[in-house]
C-alpha cells in the first residue's frame, strides 16, 4: 500500500505538469494561428445573388484583399430570405477567420425584429470586423410625378391617408423599412407594394404604378440618367458625390431621417482578435484604393471603414432602431 502511494506521489506532479503544459498550449493556440494567418483561401459570403449592390461591393473588396494578402478571397453567393440564409451560414462556421460575411442592414439589423424564429443572433453569434460602407436610400418619383419635393410628398400623403403607395424589392427589406420609417417620422399613412426584386420596383415608378420610393442610388442610376425618374432627397446626413444637387432629407425638411442599405463585414463570434484586426486592416486598406473609391462613388456608396469596436456599437444601435420601427409598424415574417 505504501509503495502504491509513493508511486502515485511520484507520478502526480508529472501528470500535473503535462496538464499545465496542455492548458498553456490551448491558450496560446489562437495567437499561433493568428501569426500564421492566412494560410489558405478565405471565403467571403455574399447573402444575395450576383449583380446586386452587396455583391458589387463584396467583389471589389475580395479582389483588393486577395492582392494585398497574397491569398485567394473567394466570393460565395448564398441568397435567400432577405439575406438571412447567408448570414446564418457564417454565424455557424468555424471561428478561424476563413469565413466572413458581407451582411447588409436587412440580414444584420432588421431580421432580429422581423423573424420570431431567426436561427442566429447577430449581436451574439457574429463579431463585426468593419462597417464597410453606407448606401443611403434615395427618395425617388417617376418623371411625370406631380411631386417635386419631400414637402410635396408629405403634404399629399397627409391630404390622402393611405392612398399614396411605394414599392420595395420585397417585404422586410431596406426599401420597405425606409418607407415605414418615413411614415412614422412624418406621421402619415402610406401603402407598401412589395415586388420580387429591385428592378420591378423601379419600373413601377417609371410606369406610374407607384407614387414614390426609397431606393438605392445603384438601383435607380440607369433610369435616373435616362430621365425616367427623379431623385428628390437622400436619406442621409451628407449628400452623395454622384448626386451633388440632390438635398439630404434634413435639408429637405425631415430632420434626423436616415435610412441606409449598409454593408458590414463580420466573422463568427469567438474569432481571435488578432485575426479580426488583420481583416479590418485589409478592408480599411482596400477602401483607400482610388479604383475602389471611384466605383463606390459611382454606385452611391459612401465608404465607412469603421473599426471593429465602432462597428459593434453601430450594429447594436441599428438593431435597436429597426426593432422599434418594426414593432411600431406591426410587421412580422415567418
Amino acid at each position: 500500500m505504501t509503495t502504491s502511494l509513493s508511486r502515485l506521489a511520484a507520478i502526480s506532479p508529472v501528470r500535473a505538469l503535462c496538464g499545465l503544459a496542455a492548458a498553456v498550449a490551448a491558450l496560446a493556440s489562437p495567437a499561433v494561428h493568428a501569426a500564421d494567418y492566412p494560410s489558405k483561401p478565405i471565403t467571403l459570403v455574399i447573402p444575395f445573388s450576383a449583380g446586386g449592390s452587396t455583391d458589387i461591393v463584396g467583389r471589389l473588396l475580395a479582389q483588393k484583399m486577395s492582392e494585398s494578402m497574397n491569398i485567394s478571397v473567394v466570393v460565395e453567393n448564398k441568397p435567400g430570405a432577405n439575406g438571412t440564409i447567408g448570414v446564418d451560414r457564417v454565424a455557424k462556421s468555424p471561428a478561424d477567420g476563413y469565413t466572413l460575411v458581407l451582411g447588409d442592414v436587412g440580414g444584420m439589423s432588421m431580421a432580429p425584429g422581423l423573424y420570431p424564429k431567426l436561427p442566429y443572433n447577430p449581436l451574439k453569434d457574429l463579431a463585426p470586423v468593419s462597417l464597410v460602407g453606407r448606401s443611403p436610400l434615395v427618395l425617388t418619383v417617376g418623371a411625370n410625378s406631380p411631386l417635386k419635393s419631400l414637402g410635396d410628398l408629405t403634404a399629399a400623403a397627409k391630404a390622402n391617408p393611405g392612398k399614396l403607395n411605394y414599392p420595395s424589392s420585397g417585404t422586410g427589406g431596406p426599401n420597405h423599412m425606409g418607407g415605414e420609417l418615413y411614415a412614422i417620422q412624418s406621421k402619415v399613412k402610406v401603402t407598401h407594394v412589395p415586388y420580387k426584386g429591385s428592378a420591378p420596383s423601379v419600373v413601377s415608378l417609371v410606369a406610374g404604378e407607384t407614387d414614390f420610393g426609397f431606393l438605392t442610388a445603384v438601383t435607380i442610376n440607369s433610369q435616373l440618367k435616362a430621365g425616367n425618374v427623379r431623385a428628390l432627397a437622400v436619406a442621409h446626413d451628407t449628400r452623395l458625390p454622384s448626386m451633388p444637387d440632390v438635398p439630404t432629407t434634413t435639408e429637405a425638411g425631415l430632420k434626423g431621417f436616415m435610412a441606409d442599405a449598409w454593408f458590414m463585414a463580420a466573422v463568427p463570434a469567438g474569432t481571435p482578435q488578432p485575426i479580426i484586426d488583420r481583416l479590418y486592416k485589409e478592408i480599411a486598406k482596400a477602401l483607400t484604393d482610388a479604383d475602389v473609391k471611384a466605383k463606390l462613388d459611382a454606385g452611391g456608396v459612401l465608404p465607412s471603414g469603421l473599426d471593429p469596436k465602432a462597428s459593434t456599437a453601430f450594429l447594436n444601435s441599428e438593431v435597436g432602431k429597426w426593432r422599434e420601427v418594426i414593432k411600431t409598424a406591426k410587421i412580422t415574417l415567418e
Side-chain angles (χ1 to χ4, degrees):
M1 181 70 175
T2 305
T3 303
S4 298
L5 289 173
S6 298
R7 288 177 179 173
L8 181 61
I11 293 171
S12 294
V14 175
R15 287 180 175 172
L17 287 172
C18 289
L20 179 60
V24 170
L27 289 173
S29 60
V32 172
H33 292 324
D36 295 337
Y37 178 85
S39 59
K40 62 180 181 179
I42 297 169
T43 298
L44 174 60
V45 176
I46 305 296
F48 298 97
S49 300
S53 55
T54 309
D55 182 70
I56 291 170
V57 174
R59 289 179 186 277
L60 280 173
L61 285 181
Q63 178 187 345
K64 295 302 176 181
M65 290 172 70
S66 294
E67 295 171 359
S68 177
M69 302 174 83
N70 197 30
I71 203 83
S72 294
V73 178
V74 183
V75 171
E76 176 188 314
N77 293 95
K78 192 82 173 175
N82 285 335
T84 60
I85 292 176
V87 176
D88 185 50
R89 147 115 164 77
V90 175
K92 291 178 170 58
S93 294
D96 56 10
Y98 288 99
T99 309
L100 65 157
V101 66
L102 186 64
D104 82 322
V105 61
M108 298 284 283
S109 68
M110 294 174 177
L114 287 169
Y115 296 93
K117 298 179 181 179
L118 190 69
Y120 61 89
N121 182 335
L123 301 179
K124 294 181 179 180
D125 300 330
L126 293 166
V129 175
S130 180
L131 176 66
V132 173
R134 305 174 71 158
S135 183
L137 299 183
V138 180
L139 173 58
T140 309
V141 297
N144 297 321
S145 171
L147 305 174
K148 306 296 183 182
S149 67
L150 174 60
D152 287 349
L153 170 60
T154 302
K158 287 183 176 181
N160 303 278
K163 291 187 178 181
L164 270 67
N165 57 22
Y166 68 96
S168 78
S169 57
T171 301
N175 312 135
H176 179 197
M177 293 297 103
E180 294 291 352
L181 181 61
Y182 162 73
I184 292 169
Q185 291 196 8
S186 298
K187 298 179 180 179
V188 297
K189 185 178 180 180
V190 291
T191 300
H192 170 230
V193 181
Y195 287 84
K196 293 182 179 180
S198 299
S201 64
V202 181
V203 172
S204 74
L205 287 173
V206 175
E209 296 171 357
T210 52
D211 300 300
F212 70 97
F214 284 96
L215 309 174
T216 59
V218 69
T219 301
I220 66 170
N221 193 41
S222 62
Q223 296 290 356
L224 187 64
K225 289 181 178 178
N228 295 325
V229 297
R230 292 200 311 273
L232 302 185
V234 175
H236 200 68
D237 55 2
T238 58
R239 296 191 181 195
L240 287 174
S242 59
M243 300 179 185
D245 297 327
V246 180
T248 66
T249 42
T250 293
E251 292 172 331
L254 187 56
K255 293 183 178 180
F257 180 85
M258 291 182 65
D260 301 320
W262 49 257
F263 316 101
M264 179 178 287
V267 291
T271 299
Q273 191 61 45
I275 290 179
I276 293 176
D277 293 340
R278 174 68 191 283
L279 287 169
Y280 167 68
K281 177 183 176 182
E282 295 298 338
I283 289 172
K285 180 180 178 181
L287 292 176
T288 63
D289 182 87
D291 181 53
V292 171
K293 291 178 69 174
K295 289 179 179 177
L296 292 181
D297 282 349
V301 178
L302 300 172
S304 180
L306 290 185
D307 64 29
K309 184 177 180 179
S311 296
T312 299
F314 176 82
L315 179 59
N316 274 272
S317 174
E318 285 286 285
V319 169
K321 169 185 174 177
W322 292 114
R323 192 185 294 276
E324 188 61 31
V325 170
I326 291 161
K327 180 181 178 182
T328 301
K330 299 178 181 179
I331 304 167
T332 56
L333 296 176
E334 294 300 328

